[in-house]
Amino acid sequence: MTTHRSLINDGNQLKLAVQRSGRLTDHSLDLLRHIGLDFESYGQRLFSRARNFPLSILYARDDDIPDYVGLNTVDLGIVGRNLVHEQGIAVEELLALRYGYCSLVVAVPNDSEITTPEGLLNARIATSYPESARRFFHSLGGRPEIITISGSVEVAPALGLADAIVELTATGSSLQLNDLRPIHTILESEAVLIANPASLRDPARRENIDRIVMRMRAVDAARRFKYVMMNAPEAQLTQIRSILPGLKAPTVVKLDEPGWVAVHAAIEEDLFWDKIEQLRAAGASEILVSALDKLML
Ligand code: ATP
Ligand code: ZN
């Protein structure tokens, strides 16, 4: 494993761990490509080196990533916040990445009379997140029996193994399928970029970490905004300006057509359709919308 040794010994290379194969893998690799990193990721390789940035990517089980970052095997990791929370490891969360959304919830059988977690302080709780569950119930003054199961936690109540579960859910469909209902959210989770605190204190590493973070922010901002161009009567400009939230004031260009202007602005995706309707009502026409690739705010 000479290649692996050279990865570990190369002092100037940043190392980033991502999930090798699972729910976060595609999004994570997309994000890394989108910030301009050129690397190979085919097959079952353990790591690859970016061709155009001093960074190596290590492919790992997601459960191992908080430890790798915490123990400084790698400088950076992309992993679900739920695992950082579960393992209680001292790493810095640098950025929330807006994918891999899920919640860690307490759920009970539909026919249970329990409606709040306070009703479970001495209950039997099945979970694959024992530390998160234990800490949560301790914070309520409870000492439930925690039964650790690594898969299919949802069937535990039906099998008579537990009174309730603590489990991840994204859409709630798996809970529904098993006649369970969530009664409390312990943690909202998504994929996060985490860093080793010592790496952040090292000036040379810090500089490259900041470059990665800046690029990820630009990709994220670009995803959240659309670039909108439209024509409008100059007389309507005040009203149009008041509709456009813009990053700054919109850009206004006079057209050859007297009394008409072109207005350019970036509009946040969430507000997008409402704003377009208001702009049309205010007299804007020929509205052209384009996606942004990167946006440096
Ligand atoms: P590995 O083989 O790497 O250990 P895994 O099977 O433990 O993978 P995945 O199921 O791929 O993990 O989930 C990875 C992460 O995706 C979770 O830790 C969580 O942050 C996130 N996630 C998003 N939605 C869900 C969901 N519905 N259920 C479980 N995890 C989810
Ligand atoms: Zn895992």
Side-chain angles (χ1 to χ4, degrees), residues 19 21 60-64 83 129:
Q19 189 181 24
S21 161
R61 293 257 341 255
D62 66 345
D63 313 67
D64 294 334
L83 286 179
Y129 288 84

Side-chain angles (χ1 to χ4, degrees), residues 19-24 60-63 79-83 100-102 129 168-171 189-190:
Q19 189 181 24
R20 183 191 309 201
S21 161
R23 292 174 201 260
L24 303 181
R61 293 257 341 255
D62 66 345
D63 313 67
V79 70
R81 182 184 289 131
N82 50 296
L83 286 179
Y101 284 110
C102 55
Y129 288 84
L168 284 184
T169 173
T171 57
S189 182
E190 65 192 282

Side-chain angles (χ1 to χ4, degrees), residues 224-226 245 266-273 275:
R224 281 187 295 119
F225 287 89
K226 297 283 178 210
I267 302 186
E268 205 155 357
E269 179 102 68
D270 296 349
L271 307 172
F272 180 73
W273 287 110
K275 293 292 171 187

Side-chain angles (χ1 to χ4, degrees), residues 128-143:
S128 38
Y129 288 84
E131 288 311 317
S132 302
R134 194 168 286 127
R135 259 187 274 139
F136 171 70
F137 282 105
H138 280 192
S139 77
L140 300 180
R143 289 284 183 278

Side-chain angles (χ1 to χ4, degrees), residues 98-156:
R98 293 180 205 262
Y99 59 88
Y101 284 110
C102 55
S103 314
L104 188 66
V105 301
V106 182
V108 297
N110 279 328
D111 58 12
S112 165
E113 278 157 23
I114 308 270
T115 54
T116 64
E118 282 78 6
L120 294 165
L121 300 186
N122 297 302
R124 294 166 307 154
I125 313 283
T127 184
S128 38
Y129 288 84
E131 288 311 317
S132 302
R134 194 168 286 127
R135 259 187 274 139
F136 171 70
F137 282 105
H138 280 192
S139 77
L140 300 180
R143 289 284 183 278
E145 182 189 343
I146 305 285
I147 302 153
T148 306
I149 305 179
S150 57
S152 309
V153 172
E154 287 92 345
V155 301

Side-chain angles (χ1 to χ4, degrees), residues 22-126:
R23 292 174 201 260
L24 303 181
T25 305
D26 287 350
H27 269 113
S28 301
L29 297 182
D30 275 359
L31 174 62
L32 297 177
R33 294 227 156 78
H34 216 118
I35 64 168
L37 303 186
D38 183 11
F39 59 95
E40 286 171 353
S41 62
Y42 57 84
Q44 287 296 303
R45 53 193 319 155
L46 278 177
F47 76 94
S48 53
R49 194 180 278 251
R51 197 183 49 73
N52 55 354
F53 198 94
L55 177 121
S56 294
I57 300 163
L58 183 74
Y59 302 97
R61 293 257 341 255
D62 66 345
D63 313 67
D64 294 334
I65 293 177
D67 247 354
Y68 284 167
V69 177
L71 299 172
N72 216 349
T73 308
V74 296
D75 306 285
L76 298 168
I78 294 179
V79 70
R81 182 184 289 131
N82 50 296
L83 286 179
V84 180
H85 182 261
E86 171 65 17
Q87 299 181 14
I89 290 174
V91 295
E92 291 265 351
E93 181 179 318
L94 298 182
L95 215 52
L97 299 173
R98 293 180 205 262
Y99 59 88
Y101 284 110
C102 55
S103 314
L104 188 66
V105 301
V106 182
V108 297
N110 279 328
D111 58 12
S112 165
E113 278 157 23
I114 308 270
T115 54
T116 64
E118 282 78 6
L120 294 165
L121 300 186
N122 297 302
R124 294 166 307 154
I125 313 283

